[in-house]
Amino acid sequence: MKQNQTLETTLLVIGGGPGGYVAAIRAGQLGIRTVLVEGAALGGTCLNIGCIPSKALIHAAEGYLKAREFAGKSPLGISVQAPSIDIQRTVEWKDGIVDRLTTGVAALLKKHGVTVVSGWAKIVDGKTVEVDLAEGGTQHIHTEHLLLAAGSKSVELPFLPVGGNVISSTEALAPKTLPKRLAVVGGGYIGLELGIAYRKLGVEVTVVEAQPRILPTYDEELTRPVTHSLRKLGIELYLGHSVMGLEPDGKGLRVQDGAGSQRVIETDQVLVAVGRHPNTAGWNLDTLRLDMNGRAVQIDEQCRTSMRDVWAIGDIAGEPMLAHRAMAQGEMVAEIIAGKRRAFTPTAIPAVCFTDPEVVVVGLSPEQAQAAGYEVLTASFPFAANGRAMTLESSDGFVRVVARKDNHLILGWQAVGKAVSELSTAFVQSLEMAACLEDIAGTIHAHPTLGEAVQEAALRALGHALHV
């Protein structure tokens, strides 16, 4: 590829995250000439500084916690000497997983004939992009179809800028050393996942949340076991508190409650985790004058923007900001460009919080179903009555089903408990296949598994649960 010589293609994808690379791979499979531009590492936030490394850190932290418990009096009869952790080796292990995955993405793109350009894209017009190449120089690319998959960025607080003792999730996932004390600003899933991991690694953790409870977008019954777990772990919660700023010496975080009373939380490091917003600034996207939905690019059910042959997928198109949504959208856009008839109309998209315990939400909650005008049946089955949960030493939590009262059509599932993320596939599949309570209740579930709680919730909604 010669610099300053315009590269011609059919599809140009800006962003190599889950949405962008899946779109490019599928387009390559379909014989579409495709170029993908990525300024950082392939895999985007999810593979490099998000989903994958955070789960790796969570796993390592859980292992270290268990080792410390075995150094005490374990009911399992296991005993060890005082364990320690080399956090640099932990980070190296995490990085190894990330490297294998990103290398795999690169290999798949090459296998399917996708040209990858390393650099930062700037929009010239709806058909042309200029790339500041990572190796130096610029490259112009002309395309028939432009796919925007630039993802999202962490929200920064002007009065608490990242730097020094203030870190974002990116720095939290690659610690060189562990602080003695960590204050987490934000009680959503990012802050709690990392806060719990750090606590299990032996750090004193405080969580500050402006809302009166953690995970405020989920209903209180669902988040109550998580709150209980946080307190059991020794995580201090300041709910209904606003952050005022960092103390001059950087060793204290000033917070204020709803009554205006202030206090200082002593801390060595502050993790800001107050959400993410679409990455729409800084690369001339505004020159296209696309219709917007707040900070997000507005799209229709085929991920088309207001400009012909310009598409947008994933976080840049707003909520829900989930990697699996972006992947599904990317695959669909490639197929539409190839001439297939497609639309993005999923019945439900699962959302998972990898807290301890985990939380899964698929479809409508009881309140949402009622607000939509349905008369509903709801039933929960507790993991306290599930044999497999007991053998995993985790019987907190439950599975809850929401169904229409008239025809028993399932409208939603919610679960909280150990490893319930693995139940999300069963939940979303039942909704996509328009299953009724009788379908789930009549399906033989393997014993002993956590999945039995899914069947038992359906049975309970029908009035004849077997084990509760």
Side-chain angles (χ1 to χ4, degrees):
M1 186 196 308
K2 294 181 181 179
Q3 291 184 12
N4 301 321
Q5 182 177 345
T6 299
L7 182 65
E8 297 284 342
T9 190
T10 303
L11 171 62
L12 171 59
V13 182
I14 298 179
Y21 81 69
V22 165
I25 289 170
R26 185 64 182 126
Q29 290 174 342
L30 293 165
I32 299 168
R33 280 185 309 164
T34 304
V35 174
L36 184 149
V37 178
E38 172 55 58
L42 290 170
T45 294
C46 181
L47 262 65
N48 292 281
I49 53 173
C51 325
I52 299 301
S54 64
K55 304 314 163 285
L57 189 66
I58 287 167
H59 175 71
E62 176 65 19
Y64 184 50
L65 175 67
K66 282 295 179 188
R68 297 206 320 275
E69 288 177 351
F70 294 153
K73 191 174 182 181
S74 168
L76 302 183
I78 302 172
S79 63
V80 299
Q81 296 303 310
S84 63
I85 187 166
D86 182 342
I87 194 62
Q88 292 187 18
R89 280 190 63 187
T90 305
V91 171
E92 287 171 7
W93 168 75
K94 178 265 296 181
D95 288 344
I97 294 172
V98 171
D99 288 344
R100 288 198 296 277
L101 289 170
T102 55
T103 300
V105 169
L108 287 168
L109 290 166
K110 183 177 180 180
K111 174 183 176 182
H112 295 294
V114 177
T115 299
V116 176
V117 177
S118 297
W120 297 99
K122 290 184 179 178
I123 301 291
V124 176
D125 56 43
K127 299 289 185 183
T128 314
V129 165
E130 180 182 272
V131 182
D132 291 329
L133 297 171
E135 64 207 33
T138 59
Q139 173 71 57
H140 279 77
I141 306 173
H142 186 265
T143 186
E144 293 177 35
H145 296 270
L146 178 61
L147 176 54
L148 310 174
S152 60
K153 287 185 174 181
S154 297
V155 173
E156 292 191 19
L157 298 176
F159 54 87
L160 211 59
V162 172
N165 292 349
V166 181
I167 62 172
S168 70
S169 57
T170 301
E171 293 78 27
L173 288 168
K176 292 181 174 58
T177 59
L178 292 171
K180 183 175 184 295
R181 301 165 299 186
L182 175 71
V184 179
V185 179
Y189 76 95
I190 298 173
L192 291 185
E193 285 184 14
L194 290 171
I196 290 170
Y198 267 67
R199 179 62 193 134
K200 290 180 178 181
L201 290 169
V203 177
E204 296 173 19
V205 175
T206 302
V207 174
V208 182
E209 168 57 48
Q211 298 299 314
R213 58 187 180 83
I214 60 162
L215 298 173
T217 58
Y218 301 112
D219 69 75
E220 190 170 1
E221 184 184 8
L222 199 59
T223 60
R224 195 176 297 125
V226 183
T227 302
H228 174 72
S229 174
L230 294 174
R231 299 193 190 282
K232 187 176 177 183
L233 284 167
I235 294 176
E236 198 168 359
L237 298 177
Y238 285 87
L239 304 176
H241 280 70
S242 301
V243 174
M244 308 306 292
L246 205 60
E247 290 294 277
D249 64 358
K251 292 291 186 179
L253 183 69
R254 184 168 292 278
V255 299
Q256 178 176 287
D257 64 18
S261 177
Q262 294 190 10
R263 66 171 297 159
V264 174
I265 299 169
E266 294 184 358
T267 187
D268 302 304
Q269 214 167 46
V270 178
L271 167 61
V272 178
V274 292
R276 301 183 66 84
H277 58 69
N279 182 24
T280 52
W283 47 289
N284 294 346
L285 179 62
D286 54 341
T287 62
L288 298 183
R289 301 177 70 112
L290 301 176
D291 290 347
M292 304 293 286
N293 181 14
R295 298 186 67 150
V297 176
Q298 186 169 306
I299 57 173
D300 66 10
E301 64 178 14
Q302 291 187 311
C303 294
R304 298 179 189 269
T305 70
S306 56
M307 179 176 282
R308 182 179 175 86
D309 294 333
V310 177
W311 317 71
I313 61 173
D315 290 7
I316 199 172
E319 296 289 350
M321 293 188 182
L322 299 167
H324 40 284
R325 168 192 179 236
M327 290 177 175
Q329 289 176 324
E331 180 188 20
M332 180 198 69
V333 169
E335 294 192 351
I336 292 172
I337 292 171
K340 297 179 182 290
R341 294 176 62 122
R342 290 287 307 276
F344 190 72
T345 55
T347 301
I349 301 175
V352 182
C353 299
F354 288 86
T355 45
D356 181 8
E358 295 176 351
V359 179
V360 174
V361 174
V362 180
L364 302 179
S365 68
E367 294 77 12
Q368 289 169 333
Q370 289 165 2
Y374 295 109
E375 280 193 81
V376 298
L377 292 172
T378 64
S380 298
F381 185 83
F383 282 118
N386 178 273
R388 181 57 177 149
M390 293 179 189
T391 66
L392 293 171
E393 299 181 280
S394 183
S395 54
D396 287 344
F398 57 87
V399 172
R400 183 174 68 196
V401 66
V402 183
R404 285 176 54 161
K405 193 172 184 179
D406 56 355
N407 60 8
H408 295 177
L409 179 72
I410 295 172
L411 301 173
W413 293 94
Q414 298 84 41
V416 55
K418 187 178 183 68
V420 293
S421 55
E422 300 302 330
L423 300 180
S424 61
T425 301
F427 293 160
V428 73
Q429 193 169 47
S430 72
L431 266 66
E432 286 292 346
M433 299 186 74
C436 295
L437 292 170
E438 288 82 357
D439 297 316
I440 306 304
T443 299
I444 298 174
H445 289 60
H447 174 77
T449 63
L450 298 177
E452 289 178 277
V454 179
Q455 181 186 21
E456 290 276 9
L459 283 166
R460 195 173 193 185
L462 294 170
H464 50 89
L466 298 172
H467 289 92
V468 71

